[in-house]
Amino acid sequence: QPVLTQSSSASASLGSSVKLTCTLSSGHSIDVIAWHQQQPGKAPRYLMKVESSGRHNKGSGVPDRFSGSSSGADRYLTISNLQSEDEADYYCETWDRNSRVFGGGTRLTVL
Amino acid sequence: EVQLVESGGGLVQPGGSLRLSCAASGFTFSNYWMTWVRQAPGKGLEWVANIKEDGSEEQYVDAVKGRFIISRDNANNSLYLEMNSLRVENTAVYYCARIGGRGYSFAPIDYWGQGTLVTVSS
């Protein structure tokens, strides 16, 4: 079963860019992951799927400011032109034949 | 528009039971695997259970095996989670969610419900 590792927190200034990382455990470096955003007090929202090639497919209505990429076992979520509403928890997710796994989440603070 | 609306949460004593429901609309429910994910207060997301589109296969996290049962009623576009022998550590918001691959489970969650709070306390 894969394990996903995320930094617990990140911060960046309004209008700047930030890159969040989700690292897949050994033996799962080619796996696909998804990114979800959870704003304070709300349900999670699907942002995108990111493949090992870096190809990403965004969910409906996700702004162009959000993009995904990949390098080895790392999967990234980059948010450009940070807005106040981007302050949220970001979770990565992956799956195998019998289960689903989430990373511990990264709390993003917009300064 | 895809909508998932959970209900059935509430306060229950340790050892008690509760049945959660999720009403789905805006898509062909019988074409998708569905899942339950929970979030304990102040904690991250934890997968609970999956069910195949026709209900013929179920998968559970080890912590709930033998106590929780996931089921579905495709005629009524509904997903359920029967929770038995509840423990204090099962206190969480429970989310109903759709797995995005039509007809297969190797896909991300692409839609979430708003969640329903289950509190297990004496």
Side-chain angles (χ1 to χ4, degrees):
Chain A
Q1 182 175 349
V3 174
L4 299 174
T5 302
Q6 299 181 250
S7 298
S8 59
S9 65
S11 62
S13 299
L14 197 66
S16 70
S17 296
V18 68
K19 191 175 188 179
L20 306 183
T21 305
C22 174
T23 302
L24 286 150
S25 55
S26 177
H28 295 277
S29 62
I30 64 170
D31 289 2
V32 181
I33 67 108
W35 285 102
H36 302 273
Q37 176 195 60
Q38 187 176 33
Q39 294 172 321
K42 293 191 174 181
R45 172 197 182 192
Y46 169 68
L47 293 177
M48 68 184 70
K49 178 176 75 171
V50 182
E51 300 176 8
S52 59
S53 63
R55 177 181 167 185
H56 60 278
N57 297 92
K58 289 196 283 190
S60 174
V62 176
D64 291 342
R65 305 186 292 105
F66 291 79
S67 62
S69 59
S70 182
S71 176
D74 292 334
R75 305 287 181 268
Y76 305 107
L77 172 69
T78 300
I79 312 171
S80 304
N81 187 21
L82 272 168
Q83 304 296 303
S84 57
E85 61 264 30
D86 299 331
E87 186 158 287
D89 293 328
Y90 292 85
Y91 293 93
C92 53
E93 173 208 8
T94 194
W95 48 89
D96 63 13
R97 178 66 181 88
N98 298 306
S99 66
R100 312 189 77 79
V101 175
F102 291 93
T106 297
R107 176 152 295 178
L108 175 63
T109 300
V110 179
L111 304 172
Chain B
E1 179 194 5
V2 171
Q3 283 198 316
L4 300 168
V5 180
E6 301 94 334
S7 60
L11 175 63
V12 60
Q13 291 189 335
S17 298
L18 211 55
R19 189 193 199 206
L20 306 183
S21 300
C22 171
S25 61
F27 65 104
T28 304
F29 182 70
S30 59
N31 285 350
Y32 292 87
W33 283 69
M34 296 294 294
T35 189
W36 287 98
V37 175
R38 66 185 176 186
Q39 186 171 35
K43 302 297 184 182
L45 301 172
E46 180 187 30
W47 170 72
V48 175
N50 287 344
I51 188 166
K52 194 174 179 179
E53 61 267 22
D54 62 358
S56 63
E57 185 175 345
E58 303 159 27
Q59 299 160 345
Y60 299 93
V61 67
D62 285 347
V64 308
K65 280 181 184 174
R67 298 188 300 119
F68 288 15
I69 300 171
I70 187 172
S71 62
R72 63 192 296 161
D73 179 351
N74 286 346
N76 289 298
N77 296 330
S78 295
L79 177 71
Y80 304 102
L81 186 68
E82 182 79 33
M83 303 185 295
N84 301 305
S85 302
L86 280 162
R87 304 167 180 168
V88 171
E89 58 265 32
N90 299 142
T91 294
V93 174
Y94 285 74
Y95 295 102
C96 160
R98 189 181 87 167
I99 296 173
R102 180 174 167 169
Y104 61 94
S105 64
F106 276 70
I109 289 170
D110 65 350
Y111 286 96
W112 298 79
Q114 87 288 349
T116 187
L117 176 62
V118 172
T119 303
V120 184
S121 175
S122 55

